Amino acid sequence: MIVLYSNHCPKCEIVKSKLDSKNIEYKLVDDIQWLTDNNFDQMPVLEVNGTRMTSFIDINNFINQQ
């Protein structure tokens, strides 16, 4: 399962667009209060099978390999 944690910042929108263009299924979590309550202090975060990626470069590389 893939989850995109997003606050709709420019980088988040790039990740979302790339996921959509590759038809990669994902769940979008963009509830700012929930993200704040759960200590998400940077965006975007991509979680793949329980492992979180916070580096935009790592996220981009993962998507490009799909």
Side-chain angles (χ1 to χ4, degrees):
M1 173 183 232
I2 298 175
V3 181
L4 173 60
Y5 299 95
S6 169
N7 63 359
H8 299 283
C9 70
K11 286 184 179 179
C12 293
E13 293 303 307
I14 290 169
V15 170
K16 184 179 180 305
S17 177
K18 289 181 71 101
L19 289 166
D20 291 342
S21 72
K22 291 213 163 206
N23 295 314
I24 298 171
E25 291 187 29
Y26 62 95
K27 176 182 175 184
L28 177 64
V29 176
D30 60 355
D31 180 326
I32 301 301
Q33 188 61 53
W34 186 91
L35 292 167
T36 301
D37 291 346
N38 287 278
N39 300 316
F40 282 81
D41 58 357
Q42 68 180 50
M43 298 291 147
V45 175
L46 191 68
E47 183 176 309
V48 180
N49 298 322
T51 301
R52 290 184 181 164
M53 288 180 263
T54 57
S55 163
F56 184 74
I57 293 170
D58 291 344
I59 292 169
N60 193 48
N61 288 340
F62 169 79
I63 295 170
N64 288 338
Q65 292 173 358
Q66 302 307 302

